[in-house]
């Protein structure tokens, strides 16, 4: 393995940039993601940085049941994230629509119908430690030796 690949492996697993989009949630899942940033969970101690810039992201967190105005935007955001990248559905709404998955609701879940979802964190809402665990367990598997596997 080249020095550059070894360097990229090391950096990617210690500095994970997470872009977070809310596609129409009740804000319950948003609050749990925000709680990950609080001193109690201290997400950044693991080298995970949350922001809203897809061009600098490695992981996309998707929350909410996909409101109509989000169907095209979610794909657009996904396409702006450079490879290697993964998406994680956070909460039951992004996975199945949860309580909003009714005939008269405007949402159109799941997120996996629009972009490839690599992991799901169920719950209404999921706990912050479950969200952190999903990011930390998925990132090394996806990013390790990515160049070598895709060359
Ligand atoms: S999964 Fe539950 S908490 Fe999360 S957005 Fe849906 S209804 Fe709200």
């Amino acid at each position: 393995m080249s020095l550059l690949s070894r360097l990229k492996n090391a950096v990617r697993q210690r500095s994970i940039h997470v872009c977070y989009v809310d596609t129409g949630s009740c804000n319950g899942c948003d609050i749990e993601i925000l709680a990950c940033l609080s001193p109690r969970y201290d997400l950044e101690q693991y080298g995970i940085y949350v922001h809203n810039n897809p061009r600098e992201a490695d992981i996309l967190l998707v929350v909410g049941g996909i409101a109509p105005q989000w169907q095209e935007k979610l794909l657009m955001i996904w396409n702006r994230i450079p490879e290697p990248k993964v998406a994680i559905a956070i909460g039951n709404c992004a996975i199945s629509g949860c309580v909003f998955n009714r005939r008269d609701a405007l949402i159109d879940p799941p997120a996996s119908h629009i972009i490839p979802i690599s992991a799901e964190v169920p719950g209404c809402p999921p706990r912050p430690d479950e969200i952190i665990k999903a990011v930390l367990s998925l990132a090394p598997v996806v990013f390790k030796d990515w160049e070598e596997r895709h060359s």
Side-chain angles (χ1 to χ4, degrees):
M1 187 192 301
S2 70
L3 179 63
L4 185 62
S5 295
R6 285 209 305 267
L7 193 61
K8 282 186 177 176
N9 272 341
V11 170
R12 281 191 180 131
Q13 289 170 65
R14 286 173 180 76
S15 175
I16 304 164
H17 286 240
V18 173
C19 179
Y20 150 64
V21 290
D22 178 347
T23 65
S25 78
C26 75
N27 290 135
C29 288
D30 297 339
I31 289 166
E32 299 304 312
I33 291 175
L34 284 178
C36 295
L37 298 165
S38 68
R40 179 170 180 183
Y41 295 99
D42 193 14
L43 185 73
E44 292 190 353
Q45 72 179 302
Y46 305 107
I48 304 172
Y49 304 98
V50 180
H51 53 73
N52 290 320
N53 183 359
R55 292 189 196 280
E56 291 181 4
D58 306 303
I59 293 180
L60 180 66
L61 298 186
V62 184
V63 169
I66 321 291
Q69 60 268 42
W70 270 100
Q71 291 172 3
E72 276 181 31
K73 282 185 198 162
L74 182 60
L75 184 60
M76 193 177 76
I77 289 171
W78 175 248
N79 288 337
R80 284 189 180 166
I81 300 176
E83 296 282 358
K85 60 185 176 183
V86 284
I88 303 177
I90 304 292
N92 292 351
C93 279
I95 297 168
S96 67
C98 197
V99 292
F100 303 110
N101 196 358
R102 306 182 328 211
R103 202 174 292 170
D104 58 342
L106 285 175
I107 62 165
D108 192 14
S112 60
H113 282 177
I114 298 176
I115 60 171
I117 296 289
S118 301
E120 295 174 339
V121 185
C124 181
R127 292 176 50 80
D129 50 346
E130 293 169 337
I131 298 168
I132 295 171
K133 195 171 156 194
V135 172
L136 286 175
S137 55
L138 190 63
V141 176
V142 174
F143 301 139
K144 191 171 189 305
D145 302 333
W146 190 86
E147 265 80 17
E148 305 217 332
R149 286 188 276 117
H150 293 83
S151 58

